[in-house]
Amino acid sequence: MAIFSKGAETMGDLYTSDAKIYPPGGDTISGNTAIGEFWKGAYGMGIKAAKLDTVEAEPAGDQIVEVGNYTLYGDGNAELDKGKYIVVWKQDGEAWKLHRDIWNTSMPGQ
Amino acid sequence: MAIFSKGAETMGDLYTSDAKIYPPGGDTISGNTAIGEFWKGAYGMGIKAAKLDTVEAEPAGDQIVEVGNYTLYGDGNAELDKGKYIVVWKQDGEAWKLHRDIWNTSMPGQ
């Protein structure tokens, strides 16, 4: 569950080259190019913005494990989905990037 | 996504006292007592067994971040669900226990 506010075009750049995401309703997606395409597709399906609230971010060795809550918004700020995520961040040169990214909805019946 | 084969009665014992799980379609559940109740409920809804396949398990500081795939089975070994999970393990005395646990289905349309 990444940061739409930075724009769908550059989403893949936020991930390590060997990153993996685990989208609900689909298989694991590997590599920041494929991940960038996935987010472009999600953005094309009507997601306009995402709010991400970090609940905890614990440094562990050379990585940070972040747990948080997300809310997705569509046109007119309509709430499309909300849920929670775990992201494992890794340092890539000087930049921290998303390395593992899993999330699920908190909405019942989905 | 935890280990049903150990029996639903003792599921809570596999988690740290301040563990959290992030079930799809619901809110975060905190503490191994409430988590044990959650898994008892899931077991009561027809899950008979779970297969867990670790894809990677990376030590990081005082924890291990495990990524894996799960398959849930019901009566007559019917496949009920399959998906992926991330578990953060922490050492609790001599035992490694689940500390953070999130998963989602890989089946389309859910």
Side-chain angles (χ1 to χ4, degrees):
Chain A
M1 179 53 48
I3 305 150
F4 281 100
S5 57
K6 298 213 175 185
E9 292 303 317
T10 56
M11 288 289 298
D13 297 341
L14 302 177
Y15 288 82
T16 62
S17 60
D18 55 344
K20 295 187 186 200
I21 68 171
Y22 310 94
D27 289 326
T28 299
I29 297 173
S30 300
N32 60 347
T33 304
I35 291 169
E37 292 300 317
F38 171 83
W39 288 120
K40 268 191 241 180
Y43 202 81
M45 287 170 69
I47 299 172
K48 298 301 179 195
K51 183 163 72 80
L52 302 175
D53 297 309
T54 301
V55 174
E56 59 186 22
E58 185 159 356
D62 66 345
Q63 61 192 30
I64 293 171
V65 178
E66 179 194 1
V67 181
N69 295 311
Y70 72 83
T71 312
L72 301 182
Y73 300 94
D75 278 330
N77 247 11
E79 190 177 297
L80 298 179
D81 187 22
K82 60 183 177 180
K84 45 260 182 262
Y85 63 87
I86 291 183
V87 169
V88 178
W89 295 81
K90 282 218 170 171
Q91 216 162 358
D92 180 9
E94 300 208 341
W96 284 91
K97 295 195 172 185
L98 294 92
H99 189 57
R100 300 288 182 262
D101 187 4
I102 188 171
W103 65 96
N104 65 41
T105 184
S106 296
M107 290 178 164
Q110 296 191 33
Chain B
M1 179 53 49
I3 305 149
F4 281 101
S5 56
K6 297 211 175 184
E9 291 304 315
T10 57
M11 287 291 296
D13 298 341
L14 302 177
Y15 289 82
T16 62
S17 60
D18 55 344
K20 295 185 185 200
I21 67 171
Y22 310 93
D27 290 324
T28 300
I29 297 172
S30 300
N32 61 347
T33 304
I35 291 169
E37 291 301 316
F38 171 85
W39 288 119
K40 267 191 240 178
Y43 202 82
M45 287 170 69
I47 299 171
K48 298 301 180 194
K51 184 162 73 80
L52 302 175
D53 297 309
T54 301
V55 174
E56 60 186 21
E58 183 160 355
D62 65 344
Q63 59 191 33
I64 293 171
V65 177
E66 179 194 2
V67 181
N69 295 311
Y70 72 83
T71 313
L72 301 182
Y73 300 95
D75 277 332
N77 246 11
E79 191 178 295
L80 298 180
D81 186 22
K82 60 181 176 181
K84 46 260 184 258
Y85 63 86
I86 291 184
V87 169
V88 178
W89 295 81
K90 282 217 169 172
Q91 215 162 358
D92 179 9
E94 299 208 339
W96 283 90
K97 295 196 172 184
L98 294 92
H99 188 56
R100 300 288 182 262
D101 187 4
I102 188 170
W103 65 96
N104 66 41
T105 183
S106 296
M107 290 181 163
Q110 296 190 31

